[in-house]
């Protein structure tokens, strides 16, 4: 499999991860190539690695396993008790040299400590952080947050943690856990976390727009910046030219997105056809656990978005990438013909595989076994998509609909940073100060990480 060549800063980070056993958190603004680096490491490392993520869809995207499944952890608050582990789980955890966690910003402090405790317990190294396993994490806390705890879980977090974010887990040196009283996390058994931020943006080229996005990211939007964004976004979206797809809308809520897509689909002439997914094995519960819709409703003329990269023949350029927008021109049963920028391509059902790690005693190696398959056309109706599902996508033009207001930190930044340029911005209403939300714990953590890197380290005596 071929991937884009690494930039100099990505290559430097790859060498840090590959050549040392340091625990590294790789972060960076939208479009800096975090996923590219993760893929490159996964395919080129000489280490024995396991890749995991906090949600099923995120795990599918990196061809890994969910954290809860890999570690056999219970759902919900785990606390500080020992973890139930069978022999198979212990064998797997003992074989890992480097654990890669994607979308780490969605991992809570409690779950981070459970990962640490599980590895110490399984490997019989209770005095060594993560039982000696290197932890490499990818994500951006300015974009995605963990699900906030409630009720008794919230009370527990407030009593034991500075915040519910992964970076405030007890395992990290410098974390605050007043009154926790857990001897497992004595200062000398905590881990040093090396924060490395990719800064070279590959999605946008205009320095002025990059500066505006930075201001939104860090919550430093001036009246002047807001005025420029609102003036640019106040334009009426133009009617599409013949053969041109309508502009996509990025909205905050599912009901808004579903309403827009349903209205557009119903307005098209012709017969609606439904493609039903084939599922083998356990793919989790509910539509949220699936990489595409279990029942995809289409008509000729429907605007669709691709949900994964084209698996083109080796050496051939991909005909589409994850996020490409096109129009259905023909439905052939086992194929859907889609027009992309004036060219027609035949799209066949794709297979998403859910993996599970296992240990092979004869080779003393970890293997990835396919435990479930989901087969469906890699398409989604795309007159509108939620801002959350637009994560990782790139658009030349989009209508951003914040509705009654952005309700999560980073939501406005995610939406705006999908665009390649300011020219492609259309707003359903002007941005308000309340739309610019930055989590104060994220602000504090990233400031402390920057100060730690900026402060010269004294030589050891």
């Amino acid at each position: 499999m071929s991937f884009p060549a690494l930039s100099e800063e990505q290559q430097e980070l790859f060498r840090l991860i590959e050549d040392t056993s340091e625990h590294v958190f790789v972060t960076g603004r939208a479009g800096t190539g975090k996923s590219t680096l993760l893929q490159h490491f996964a395919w080129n490392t000489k280490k024995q690695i396991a890749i995991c993520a906090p949600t099923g869809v995120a795990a599918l995207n990196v061809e890994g396993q969910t954290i809860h499944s890999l570690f056999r952890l219970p759902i919900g608050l785990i606390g500080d008790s020992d973890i139930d582990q069978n022999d198979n789980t212990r064998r797997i955890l003992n074989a890992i040299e480097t654990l890669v966690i994607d979308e780490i910003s969605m991992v809570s402090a409690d779950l981070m400590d459970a990962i640490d405790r599980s590895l110490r317990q399984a490997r019989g190294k209770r005095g060594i952080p993560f039982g000696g396993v290197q932890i490499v994490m990818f994500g951006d806390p300015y974009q995605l947050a963990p699900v906030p705890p409630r009720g008794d879980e919230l009370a527990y977090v407030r009593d034991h943690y500075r915040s519910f974010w992964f970076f405030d887990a007890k395992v990290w040196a410098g974390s605050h856990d007043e009154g926790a009283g857990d001897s497992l996390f004595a200062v000398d058994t905590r881990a040093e976390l090396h924060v490395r931020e990719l800064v070279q943006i590959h999605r946008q080229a205009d320095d002025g727009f990059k500066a505006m996005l930075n201001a939104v990211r860090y919550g430093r939007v001036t009246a002047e910046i807001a005025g420029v964004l609102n003036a640019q976004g106040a334009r009426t979206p133009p009617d599409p030219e013949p053969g041109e797809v309508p502009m996509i809308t990025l909205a905050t809520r599912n009901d808004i997105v579903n309403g827009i897509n349903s209205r557009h689909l119903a307005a098209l002439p012709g017969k609606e056809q439904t493609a039903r997914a084939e599922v083998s094995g356990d793919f989790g519960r509910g539509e949220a656990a699936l990489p595409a819709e279990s029942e995809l409703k289409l008509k000729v003329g429907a605007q669709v978005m691709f949900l994964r990269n084209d698996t083109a023949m080796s050496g051939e350029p991909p005909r589409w990438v994850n996020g490409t927008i096109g129009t259905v021109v023909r439905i052939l049963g086992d194929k859907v013909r889609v027009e992309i920028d004036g060219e027609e391509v035949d799209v066949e059902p794709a297979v998403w595989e859910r993996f599970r790690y296992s240990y092979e005693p004869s080779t003393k190696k970890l293997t990835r076994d396919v435990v479930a398959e989901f087969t469906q056309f890699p398409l989604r109706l795309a007159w509108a998509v939620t801002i959350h599902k637009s994560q990782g996508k790139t658009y030349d033009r989009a209508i951003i609909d914040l509705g009654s207001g952005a309700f999560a930190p980073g939501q406005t930044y995610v939406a705006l940073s999908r665009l390649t340029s300011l020219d492609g911005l259309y707003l359903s209403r002007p941005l308000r100060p309340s739309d610019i939300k930055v989590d104060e714990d994220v602000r504090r953590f990233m400031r402390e990480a920057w100060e730690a890197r900026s402060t010269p380290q004294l030589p050891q005596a």
Side-chain angles (χ1 to χ4, degrees):
M1 184 174 293
S2 61
F3 297 109
L6 295 187
S7 66
E8 185 175 337
E9 66 170 354
Q10 289 171 323
Q11 184 64 38
E12 182 182 341
L13 253 179
F14 170 71
R15 293 267 52 104
L16 172 66
I17 297 167
E18 179 69 6
D19 298 343
T20 75
S21 58
E22 304 287 2
H23 306 298
V24 183
F25 168 40
V26 180
T27 189
R29 291 164 286 178
T32 51
K34 297 182 292 294
S35 297
T36 298
L37 178 57
L38 188 157
Q39 291 174 331
H40 181 89
F41 176 70
W43 280 83
N44 292 280
T45 182
K46 292 182 172 64
K47 297 178 178 180
Q48 187 146 256
I49 70 169
I51 305 175
C52 59
T55 67
V57 172
L60 287 171
N61 289 338
V62 291
E63 298 186 342
Q65 194 170 342
T66 65
I67 294 170
H68 286 83
S69 173
L70 177 62
F71 287 89
R72 296 293 188 267
L73 295 172
I75 301 298
L77 191 70
I78 298 166
D80 57 6
S81 59
D82 270 5
I83 310 288
D84 288 334
Q85 293 176 335
N86 58 32
D87 290 342
N88 184 55
T89 299
R90 283 191 289 270
R91 283 193 293 268
I92 292 169
L93 299 186
N94 269 280
I96 299 172
E97 294 176 336
T98 297
L99 178 71
V100 177
I101 309 175
D102 195 27
E103 300 292 12
I104 186 63
S105 64
M106 298 179 70
V107 173
S108 66
D110 172 67
L111 182 54
M112 189 83 250
D113 278 338
I115 292 169
D116 171 51
R117 194 159 52 250
S118 295
L119 288 167
R120 295 190 198 217
Q121 184 178 316
R123 298 163 72 91
K125 299 178 179 178
R126 289 180 178 262
I128 303 176
F130 301 103
V133 173
Q134 178 189 28
I135 307 297
V136 179
M137 301 167 289
F138 292 81
D140 183 7
Y142 284 105
Q143 295 187 56
L144 286 175
V147 176
R150 296 179 179 178
D152 290 343
E153 291 188 5
L154 177 60
Y156 179 91
V157 168
R158 285 176 171 169
D159 283 345
H160 290 79
Y161 293 102
R162 189 172 182 179
S163 79
F164 60 89
W165 289 86
F166 77 95
F167 47 73
D168 280 330
K170 300 174 197 173
V171 65
W172 302 121
S175 65
H176 295 247
D177 59 326
E178 295 88 344
D182 188 344
S183 60
L184 181 66
F185 295 105
V187 172
D188 59 353
T189 69
R190 297 187 183 190
E192 183 82 19
L193 177 58
H194 297 266
V195 181
R196 296 292 183 268
E197 185 166 5
L198 293 168
V199 298
Q200 184 179 345
I201 296 175
H202 306 281
R203 181 173 293 147
Q204 294 93 17
D206 178 66
D207 289 338
F209 188 41
K210 289 180 185 179
M212 293 180 202
L213 293 177
N214 278 346
V216 176
R217 172 184 171 88
Y218 299 123
R220 300 169 185 164
V221 177
T222 64
E224 181 183 2
I225 291 173
V228 172
L229 291 171
N230 283 331
Q232 182 71 18
R235 300 166 298 157
T236 300
D239 293 329
E241 298 289 336
E244 186 181 39
V245 297
M247 204 177 304
I248 193 169
T249 295
L250 310 183
T252 53
R253 303 200 321 264
N254 272 309
D255 59 337
I256 297 173
V257 167
N258 293 338
I260 292 172
N261 285 331
S262 295
R263 286 196 302 273
H264 278 281
L265 188 66
L268 290 174
K271 180 182 177 183
E272 180 180 285
Q273 300 190 48
T274 302
R276 291 178 173 80
E278 296 179 8
V279 184
S280 64
D282 181 14
F283 239 90
R285 297 179 180 177
E287 289 286 321
L290 302 177
E293 293 176 344
S294 57
E295 294 190 353
L296 174 63
K297 299 182 186 301
L298 294 176
K299 286 182 180 180
V300 171
Q303 179 162 305
V304 291
M305 179 175 71
F306 285 82
L307 300 177
R308 59 188 297 172
N309 294 342
D310 177 27
T311 53
M313 295 178 61
S314 180
E316 295 291 325
R319 297 166 294 173
W320 62 80
V321 296
N322 186 6
T324 294
I325 303 293
T327 303
V328 174
V329 294
R330 194 173 178 188
I331 302 172
L332 304 168
D334 60 341
K335 294 179 183 178
V336 176
R337 187 163 294 165
V338 178
E339 182 181 316
I340 305 169
D341 295 332
E343 295 189 11
E344 295 184 2
V345 296
D346 284 340
V347 184
E348 298 179 344
V351 179
W352 284 265
E353 296 174 327
R354 186 175 290 285
F355 294 96
R356 183 172 296 154
Y357 287 95
S358 61
Y359 178 70
E360 180 53 57
S362 62
T363 61
K364 297 184 179 180
K365 297 287 187 182
L366 282 178
T367 61
R368 282 190 316 165
D369 305 318
V370 177
V371 296
E373 291 186 344
F374 178 92
T375 304
Q376 177 61 289
F377 291 102
L379 302 170
R380 179 193 301 278
L381 291 178
W383 288 283
V385 66
T386 62
I387 293 170
H388 182 79
K389 285 192 171 72
S390 75
Q391 199 87 18
K393 308 293 193 298
T394 300
Y395 305 108
D396 292 329
R397 305 184 308 166
I399 302 166
I400 295 176
D401 182 356
L402 295 175
S404 58
F407 57 81
Q411 198 170 43
T412 301
Y413 171 67
V414 171
L416 293 172
S417 61
R418 298 310 96 199
L419 294 167
T420 56
S421 73
L422 184 61
D423 291 340
L425 173 63
Y426 295 82
L427 295 169
S428 64
R429 64 156 175 81
L431 294 175
R432 306 166 185 156
S434 59
D435 294 322
I436 312 300
K437 297 178 183 291
V438 180
D439 188 284
E440 287 303 317
D441 289 302
V442 172
R443 200 194 299 269
R444 177 256 308 168
F445 168 70
M446 293 301 292
R447 182 181 65 248
E448 291 174 353
W450 183 85
E451 290 172 350
R453 290 210 67 194
S454 302
T455 303
Q457 298 298 307
L458 296 176
Q460 296 294 318

